Amino acid sequence: NGTGSTEKYKILDPKNYPFRIADMTLPSCNTGIVYMLNSLCRRSYTYIGKTFNPRKRLNNHNSGCGSIATEPSYLRPFAIMAYISGFEGNNDLMLAVERNWKIQRDLLIQQNIYDPKEWAKAGRLVINNESLESNYNIGSYNLGLVLLFKSE
């Protein structure tokens, strides 16, 4: 269920990390992240993607060259509000996590939950997903969710 003792992977958020997460810089590693963008102009708009170069990818999105979904100027600029790391370059696992995070977000929308922070927190369910565990042996990875916003 993604809560309590069933969580196997780390979650970094302001409640259980000794620093202000919002002050952390994006990782500069090239092992890949799956990230959730939030439009700073339309807070209800999010985009989930994957990259091996987070800084360059964010710059691409903010210049209108990142994706058709982030191209419209009325949505820009974007900020990364959460990301999952620890993929060690496994592109197939990154794709599966990206797809699962989108599914979790869409399920929350179907339940009339329109808070992007809740959509970001759904990354917990993704990294603790039993089918990902069995299909990709994610226990051998150090997957972690980083939330770059203050939780209330």
Side-chain angles (χ1 to χ4, degrees):
N1 64 12
T3 60
S5 62
T6 62
E7 287 188 1
K8 300 177 213 163
Y9 304 100
K10 63 183 173 187
I11 312 295
L12 298 181
D13 66 20
K15 290 181 182 175
N16 60 21
Y17 193 70
F19 306 105
R20 285 179 21 148
I21 298 296
D23 293 337
M24 291 177 62
T25 58
L26 292 176
S28 60
C29 68
N30 61 0
T31 62
I33 67 167
V34 175
Y35 59 93
M36 179 179 283
L37 294 180
N38 191 216
S39 167
L40 298 180
C41 294
R42 289 208 175 163
R43 293 296 186 157
S44 62
Y45 187 85
T46 60
Y47 173 87
I48 298 171
K50 68 174 192 60
T51 185
F52 288 100
N53 189 333
R55 292 176 187 166
K56 181 178 179 185
R57 190 72 177 130
L58 179 60
N59 287 337
N60 288 346
H61 285 297
N62 282 326
S63 69
C65 300
S67 163
I68 291 173
T70 61
E71 185 178 336
S73 60
Y74 64 85
L75 293 174
R76 293 183 261 144
F78 290 94
I80 294 181
M81 68 181 306
Y83 64 88
I84 298 170
S85 62
F87 294 97
E88 298 177 23
N90 186 331
N91 193 55
D92 291 338
L93 178 56
M94 290 170 62
L95 284 168
V97 166
E98 176 187 7
R99 184 173 43 256
N100 276 275
W101 206 355
K102 289 175 182 178
I103 290 169
Q104 290 300 322
R105 178 195 58 196
D106 294 347
L107 287 172
L108 289 171
I109 291 169
Q110 289 172 11
Q111 297 169 21
N112 297 318
I113 298 171
Y114 299 108
D115 181 358
K117 290 181 179 180
E118 293 303 314
W119 303 341
K121 292 175 189 175
R124 290 181 170 107
L125 300 174
V126 175
I127 64 175
N128 287 293
N129 182 307
E130 289 180 10
S131 70
L132 282 179
E133 175 69 48
S134 61
N135 292 335
Y136 294 93
N137 189 25
I138 61 175
S140 64
Y141 294 89
N142 189 22
L143 295 184
L145 171 66
V146 179
L147 302 175
L148 298 172
F149 56 86
K150 287 188 176 183
S151 297
E152 279 75 51

